Structures are given as structure tokens and as C-alpha cells.
Amino acid sequence: MAIALSNFESGPALTGDYGEAMAAVQRRLAHAQVAHVAQRRRAIVMFEGWDCGGKAETIRELVSGWDARHYAVWPIGAPTVEERARHFLWRFWSRLPADGEIGVFDRSWYGRVLTERVEGFASDKEWRRAYDEINEFEAQQRDSGTTLVKLFLHVSEDEQDRRMRARLADPWTAWKVSGDDFRARERRPAYVAAMEDMFAHTDTRWAPWKLIDGVNIEFAHITALTHVAEALEKAVSMTPPEIAPEIEALAKVHFGPDWRNEGRSQPASLDAARERHARDGGDEPDSPPYEPLSA
């Protein structure tokens, strides 16, 4: 079934409490990252979408509970002179995650069939050929054991304009708006056509697209992060990794034979610490709404 962007502009309201939903999905994501690290699995989470569509904010929520040693965020801009002298996919190979890592792409290799197509940076032959090249590239990632999650955050033209005006009105965010943004705005119909062609050619069985209605930011955040959590959890065993025998032996030496029971008597999470603190009459401690990863 063809993907039409007009079907993702209603801005549905989020059901339930946003803070509780965000805490829950961030906890799932934190555990999923630990599982990838422990099992030496790798994953790619890729975001495409409009300017002012919420990609950066969604990525910030995605990685907020992750151990920074085991992921990288790659903001993709225009190719350099060195990159333009090579095949368009060349610059992405060196950014692919290794075993136990997750690579997050803020824009991606789809620039070939979007910006480069619409702005005339790629010839008609080049961007048409790119569909097959991208599908083969993504199939190589999946065949080599990499989980690939592709998300597109869509906003209506009215919502994009509202967000752009808000950026311009704030001196601390106005710097984000460039002449390119206004040029792209003028060419929105051409971009919509390019996007829908992209979905038609690259929404594959091994690398499907997930479209997110981004008009309601809270709904978009929870929907996007839930989709990523489900994809990462599906790719690995979510049974907590066993403690290595040599580490267990050291724990017995240092903490005694009952170290496991003593450990379980401690708060299992920041949520438990908050609840105990509240019962004792104190204010809720300032801390992020997810379980931290151990160093």
C-alpha cells in the first residue's frame, strides 16, 4: 500500500501521562542498549523528516538513558569535497556501528533521493539509480546482523511554519534557520513528491519505514521511541546477562556469601528511591526519569 504523507498530519493526542510514558519507554531503551552491549549486537536507528520536524528533540530523548560509550549520533549534512569525489554511500560506511554499538543517524543516505534530487545536486540518472543502491546497502546491513530502524517524522506545512516562526522569534534558536530552509519551504511540493517516491521504492521487507505523525510533539516522541524500543528488543534476548563466574567469586570474597540478598535489599531503581524519599517526607530528588546504566 502506498504511503501518503497527508495521512500523518492529524496530530493525535497522547493517551495517558507523558512523563510516565517517557520514563517507561526510556527504561526499556536503556535495558535494550545493555542487551546489545552484552550480546555484542549492533543496530542503526535512522531519522529522516522535515526541518523543524522534531528529529533532534526525539533523538535527545532516545539517547538520554544510554551509556555514551556504546552509541554515536551522526548529524548528516552536505557532503564534503572529499566525499563528493566518491560514491555517495562511501561516507556512511565509516560511521556504521561496530559490535555492541548503536549508531543513530540524524538524516542519512536518503539525502541522495531527497535534497540532492530536488535541489539538482544529483543527476536524474544518479538519484534514480540510488534506490537500488540504497536497498542493497540496507540489505547488506541486515544480512550481516545489524538491526535497522528507519523513522520519518512528518509535520504539516502549517505546523512547520509555526515552528520556524517560533525559532526565528527566539534569539537563542534563530541561528538554526538558514536560507536553505526558506528555499526548501518554497519547494515543498517537490519534496513531498520525492519523499513519496522514496517510500514507494525503499519501504522494503528487510528495512521498512515507520512514519510518525509529528504534529503533536508528545505523541511523536512516545510513538517513535516505542517503535525503536520494540525493534531493539526484538533483535536480542532481553534476559539480563549472567554475572561472570570470576566476578561472582570476587563478590563473595569482598561482600560475603550473602551478597546477592544484601544487594536486593537496596533500592532497585531511582523510582524506588523516589518513593522511599517521598514517604520520609522529603521532596522528590532531582534525577532523570530512567534507570542509570552502571559505569
Side-chain angles (χ1 to χ4, degrees), residues 26-201:
Q26 285 178 331
R27 187 175 299 110
R28 290 175 62 186
L29 288 164
H31 292 168
Q33 190 208 25
V34 170
H36 276 71
V37 173
Q39 297 168 40
R40 307 297 295 165
R41 295 297 301 275
R42 55 186 181 270
I44 295 170
V45 182
M46 188 211 74
F47 289 84
E48 286 286 353
W50 296 98
D51 293 326
C52 301
K55 295 183 299 299
E57 294 85 353
T58 305
I59 291 171
R60 184 165 57 244
E61 297 289 2
L62 170 69
V63 305
S64 65
W66 282 358
D67 186 329
R69 296 170 297 177
H70 301 290
Y71 77 89
V73 176
W74 299 104
I76 303 300
T80 65
V81 172
E82 180 184 21
E83 291 166 345
R84 288 198 300 270
R86 292 167 169 80
H87 189 277
F88 80 97
L89 289 173
W90 177 80
R91 62 176 172 151
F92 298 104
W93 278 101
S94 62
R95 294 175 166 92
L96 297 179
D99 291 346
E101 296 178 350
I102 301 175
V104 181
F105 286 82
D106 183 352
R107 298 197 185 279
S108 69
W109 40 91
Y110 282 97
R112 185 65 146 193
V113 297
L114 295 177
T115 302
E116 293 184 32
R117 166 185 169 173
V118 175
E119 303 297 338
F121 299 135
S123 68
D124 192 75
K125 181 178 180 180
E126 286 174 330
W127 65 257
R128 289 184 185 279
R129 184 179 65 221
Y131 294 130
D132 285 340
E133 293 172 321
I134 288 171
N135 287 339
E136 291 170 3
F137 171 73
E138 293 178 347
Q140 289 175 328
Q141 307 317 308
R142 292 301 300 264
D143 289 346
S144 68
T146 302
T147 299
L148 177 57
V149 187
K150 303 190 314 192
L151 301 102
F152 189 97
L153 271 63
H154 178 63
V155 292
S156 64
E157 186 172 9
D158 288 344
E159 178 62 16
Q160 185 185 30
D161 286 351
R162 187 193 68 77
R163 294 182 188 182
M164 189 178 295
R165 289 194 297 268
R167 280 187 179 182
L168 288 168
D170 185 341
W172 291 104
T173 60
W175 64 272
K176 295 182 179 181
V177 181
S178 69
D180 291 341
D181 297 322
F182 288 101
R183 184 169 62 252
R185 181 180 181 277
E186 292 173 348
R187 299 177 179 176
R188 185 178 175 99
Y191 273 99
V192 169
M195 291 167 180
E196 294 187 345
D197 282 350
M198 175 186 74
F199 299 137
H201 286 89

Side-chain angles (χ1 to χ4, degrees), residues 201-220:
H201 286 89
T202 63
D203 185 37
T204 60
R205 172 179 49 80
W206 56 90
W209 281 100
K210 173 65 175 179
L211 266 73
I212 306 293
D213 185 328
V215 173
N216 182 312
I217 294 176
E218 291 186 350
F219 173 87

